[in-house]
Amino acid sequence: MVFDMKKILLSLALILPAWTVFAQEECGPFEFPSYNVEDTAAANAWGTDIFELSQSYPAEVPEEKYPWDGVDFRRKPEQFMSKVLDYCWEGMNDANFVAQSNAVRVWYHAPWLDYGFTGREYLRGLRMDRTSAPDDLSPSQNTDIRNYSISYYNGAAAYTLGQVWCDPKNPEAAKANFPLGSVIFKMIFTLADTGDVAWLDGALEWDAYAQEATSVPLDEKEIRKVRLIEVDYMVKSDASDAVNGWIFGSHVYDGRADGGTVKDKLVPVGLQWGNDPGITPAEVRDGEQALEQTWLNTKAWVQDDLANSAVQKTGYGYRLQGVVGNHSTSLMAEAATASWPPMPPFPPSGITGDSIMHWHRNLPSGTPFDTTRTSLDYSLELRDGLRNWTIATKNDSIMKADYRQELGELLAFQPPVKVDIGDDDEEEVIEYDEGLKGRNLFVFIGGILLVVVMLVLLVMNFLKKDD
């Protein structure tokens, strides 16, 4: 047999890069940290029942039937919301809300939200959320109150997490395109008690390793009781009325509601399936225009009796916003800003009404907020994770400064500089070295085999010349 060594070596030179590319299509296994590195000592002392990130993201979009399919959410919003909430809650209570322990369906968490000042705590994986100003939660609330939250992704949504973070050292924002059926739901807990909000009576309580103070110098983290006050979700839909591809819903906990379980007392606040472009607060208030892409439950938001209303404020121009959310915007408008590089999630203060409307456009799924950015398909947690990764691994000082300002608006105080996100002398930057496992092992073995074949062929070629 005659070997054309030039052709063989050329072929192998082409095969090796192709082999590497093929091997890298396999994502994971993922080994993202679960909670803030600053909590390590407390977590080690606690020893058991430590939060673990659910990160075995599906390699393919799971096939699933959804109980809300066929429900006209515009005509029957409460029925639609009931079915989505049932889906989010199913199996979770039995699993104690441990996402990967749900026997009905596994849920997942987004990576890189452990990092920085607001990063996940070690008991429940809760992140710092927006601080509620006096009167935000009830008329009897007279101080700022800290809130904490955690989000869960169903299999379809988690598939996209795995694609964006397929290579943990090189995440790809352009792969942020959630498939139909994606569901992301968020549980928001508050440090308020029944003295601050009377209708928190009977709310789900968790222990969390959290701070309480809202002014600097801050108190130390310690284990505190937090109470469930809000559940939000977003559902990816191809319904013709879902003009942006997503439907947003929000529930508020009201201990006075009928029913014997916590879920029974999660009262619908409303649904939003569009941003109602161009409609101003004055037009709605004066009856000149009605919102067509938002439904608000007037049983939860009792405008004429706020003393007994579970919802005190709506979003911008009476659009949907959760009770803990920023009331200068709406759930959908805020999520529409999810972009890379990051941008302000709500209109800057002091701008005119026309400029504010720029934040309330209808942007179909995958449409960037502006031409200089990549859409993250309405996922603010993807934005936060990518930003944390960039600050930690690239030491991006401009992004760090912008984020510090945004945190000041979110938390209602400026985080202390020495514990601010990205300070290398205070926080350990986690390096993600997968070692020889997963796709790295696949590439390594393939490379070794190709080298061996090349050596064998070279030896055979020399022996042939000697003959």
Side-chain angles (χ1 to χ4, degrees), residues 57-62 155-156 159 163:
Y57 308 123
E60 298 179 351
V61 179
Y159 166 80
Q163 296 304 298

Side-chain angles (χ1 to χ4, degrees), residues 398-425:
I398 295 176
M399 190 172 293
K400 186 190 302 184
D402 289 344
Y403 190 25
R404 179 173 169 78
Q405 180 178 348
E406 186 177 314
L407 284 180
E409 295 171 346
L410 177 78
L411 301 173
F413 62 87
Q414 283 291 337
V417 173
K418 288 186 178 181
V419 295
D420 196 11
I421 184 167
D423 282 351
D424 295 336
D425 58 339

Side-chain angles (χ1 to χ4, degrees), residues 102-115:
N102 189 325
V104 178
R105 67 181 59 85
V106 174
W107 291 82
Y108 305 85
H109 306 293
W112 266 102
L113 302 180
D114 59 288
Y115 182 75

Side-chain angles (χ1 to χ4, degrees), residues 162-343:
Q163 296 304 298
V164 171
W165 292 98
C166 185
D167 180 355
K169 293 184 178 180
N170 186 32
E172 297 183 64
K175 290 186 176 180
N177 184 12
F178 290 93
L180 292 175
S182 292
V183 178
I184 306 167
F185 86 96
K186 179 179 180 180
M187 300 173 69
I188 303 177
F189 292 79
T190 183
L191 281 167
D193 57 25
T194 53
D196 302 304
V197 184
W199 40 87
L200 281 174
D201 185 41
L204 175 66
E205 291 187 348
W206 283 359
D207 288 328
Y209 191 57
Q211 292 171 321
E212 185 173 29
T214 57
S215 59
V216 179
L218 295 173
D219 52 351
E220 295 293 327
K221 284 185 176 181
E222 61 181 65
I223 298 175
R224 307 175 192 273
K225 291 290 184 185
V226 293
R227 297 163 184 85
L228 180 66
I229 191 170
E230 178 179 343
V231 173
D232 298 336
Y233 44 71
M234 48 193 289
V235 178
K236 191 69 174 284
S237 172
D238 60 355
S240 59
D241 289 325
V243 294
N244 297 325
W246 289 97
I247 304 169
F248 285 74
S250 182
H251 296 250
V252 62
Y253 178 82
D254 188 345
R256 302 164 299 181
D258 294 335
T261 68
V262 168
K263 184 173 72 70
D264 293 335
K265 297 179 184 297
L266 288 169
V267 177
V269 175
L271 273 182
Q272 186 177 18
W273 53 93
N275 274 319
D276 282 296
I279 300 180
T280 68
E283 288 172 333
V284 178
R285 184 176 59 249
D286 297 340
E288 298 173 10
Q289 290 276 1
L291 296 177
E292 297 182 352
Q293 296 168 347
T294 292
W295 170 78
L296 291 179
N297 181 13
T298 54
K299 297 175 184 177
W301 177 51
V302 188
Q303 193 174 10
D304 296 332
D305 186 15
L306 291 179
N308 294 300
S309 175
V311 176
Q312 298 296 303
K313 301 175 182 178
T314 64
Y316 179 76
Y318 306 93
R319 293 166 175 84
L320 176 66
Q321 182 57 282
V323 294
V324 171
N326 187 314
H327 303 290
S328 69
T329 183
S330 68
L331 280 179
M332 177 169 279
E334 188 173 357
T337 66
S339 310
W340 190 254
M343 61 166 295

